[in-house]
Amino acid sequence: AAHGARKMEDYGRFLALLGSTLLVGFVSVVLSLVWVFHYREGLSWDGSPAEFNWHPVLVITGFVFIQGIAIIVYRLPWTWKCSKLLMKFIHAGLNTIAMILAIVSMVAVFDFHNAKNIPNMYSLHSWIGLTAVIFYSLQLFLGFAVFLLPFVPVHLRAVLMPIHVYSGLTIFATVIATALMGITEKLIFALKNPAYSASPPEATLVNCLGLLLVIFGSLILWMASRPHWKRPPAENAKILRPIGMTPEGTEVESTMTNSSNADKSDLRISTEAARKQNIKFDEAGQRSTM
């Protein structure tokens, strides 16, 4: 009974965290819209500053908010009964939408710069931003090829999985850093009278937006890095177990990921060897996407 209570409490904590994260992300998107409609020229596609404004709005909506949701989609406990394949498609689909929005947001800037004869790609913001988009596209393409198409052998997936996870989280963090550079640059350029240093309301609003982006990013990274919120390995773990792998290895794995038959003390005594032996197998098929 105590166990069930602890599990419910953990689930409650997860839901509170998820709710806060979605709220912070949603408010960020709203603030970006308030910024461009209330303080700037709104949105259009005509080479004017209003075309440039698509850039912050689409980056925050797609590259930050939607990418963040794509990262934690495997963490949602009510999806653990869904097929792994369906979850992979949702993960890939959300990341694809984020990528399209990121690319459109870049086109808006190049288009605006060219219309106004402003040089392209001179700022650090633009260098890192373009790099992030290129690596994101690569990550998406390789993710599809390795984890969604059935050609890559399970052991290779197991090797590539930690790299995929690391790259995804690093790109996400880099995108947030780049967004902060971008909004700072925009405020310095755009606020002339009164200047940024005079802290007009627009400056305060956009500084708050930057703060929310950092909070959103840190919440996503927290949720993505908690081992006990990982999607448990599939039920067919025992059937798929390679020859020579001991049942006790699988036991330990279920101990690690399934809090209903394990508590933290079991975790500590689970042997390192059994865990290592099992991780190879587990990362491969069962959880081939985080």
Side-chain angles (χ1 to χ4, degrees):
H3 215 96
R6 191 167 341 123
K7 211 171 170 192
M8 282 311 293
E9 187 190 333
D10 195 51
Y11 184 58
R13 221 177 283 150
F14 176 84
L15 285 182
L17 197 59
L18 179 65
S20 314
T21 307
L22 294 175
L23 182 65
V24 171
F26 180 71
V27 173
S28 302
V29 172
V30 171
L31 284 190
S32 73
L33 289 165
V34 170
W35 180 23
V36 305
F37 280 104
H38 191 264
Y39 291 103
R40 297 284 131 206
E41 301 75 5
L43 295 169
S44 70
W45 200 273
D46 54 7
S48 73
E51 177 172 348
F52 171 88
N53 291 344
W54 280 108
H55 183 69
V57 169
L58 292 179
V59 166
I60 289 165
T61 306
F63 223 15
V64 177
F65 188 47
I66 296 174
Q67 184 186 175
I69 294 169
I71 285 173
I72 56 159
V73 89
Y74 295 104
R75 292 288 182 269
L76 312 175
W78 54 91
T79 68
W80 291 350
K81 294 275 181 281
C82 292
S83 89
K84 186 63 186 281
L85 191 62
L86 174 66
M87 295 315 296
K88 287 185 188 182
F89 272 111
I90 292 172
H91 178 71
L94 288 170
N95 277 307
T96 304
I97 293 165
M99 190 182 80
I100 292 166
L101 295 182
I103 289 170
V104 174
S105 85
M106 282 203 326
V107 172
V109 178
F110 281 102
D111 215 47
F112 165 70
H113 279 186
N114 296 340
K116 293 274 181 286
N117 285 319
I118 301 168
N120 287 306
M121 297 303 302
Y122 64 88
S123 67
L124 180 59
H125 167 74
S126 64
W127 287 22
I128 297 181
L130 184 61
T131 306
V133 170
I134 291 167
F135 275 96
Y136 191 64
S137 310
L138 204 61
Q139 167 89 338
L140 192 63
F141 172 75
L142 288 172
F144 260 110
V146 171
F147 300 109
L148 263 173
L149 301 179
F151 312 118
V152 173
V154 163
H155 69 88
L156 188 56
R157 283 185 178 185
V159 171
L160 294 175
M161 190 63 232
I163 300 171
H164 179 75
V165 172
Y166 173 80
S167 308
L169 295 177
T170 304
I171 291 165
F172 176 67
T174 304
V175 165
I176 289 181
T178 312
L180 299 178
M181 296 164 76
I183 62 182
T184 304
E185 201 176 285
K186 179 66 180 172
L187 287 174
I188 291 171
F189 285 157
L191 292 175
K192 289 291 178 249
N193 203 359
Y196 191 8
S197 56
S199 295
E202 179 178 353
T204 307
L205 176 95
V206 180
N207 286 353
C208 289
L209 168 60
L211 216 50
L212 287 179
L213 296 181
V214 173
I215 294 167
F216 179 75
S218 57
L219 289 171
I220 293 287
L221 293 175
W222 176 258
M223 291 167 83
S225 60
R226 293 311 85 198
H228 58 285
W229 286 336
K230 269 191 171 178
R231 179 185 169 100
E235 291 312 303
N236 54 2
K238 291 197 168 49
I239 306 147
L240 284 173
R241 191 168 68 240
I243 322 296
M245 177 157 310
T246 56
E248 135 251 22
T250 325
E251 232 358 85
V252 170
E253 178 53 35
S254 65
T255 303
M256 287 170 66
T257 49
N258 181 355
S259 48
S260 65
N261 58 12
D263 64 36
K264 304 292 179 278
S265 62
D266 298 335
L267 285 183
R268 285 193 205 96
I269 54 176
S270 63
T271 67
E272 197 58 25
R275 214 183 82 234
K276 281 208 184 92
Q277 170 189 46
N278 209 53
I279 261 161
K280 286 196 198 67
F281 148 76
D282 158 60
E283 296 282 76
Q286 303 331 305
R287 211 190 278 143
S288 62
T289 343
M290 253 173 122

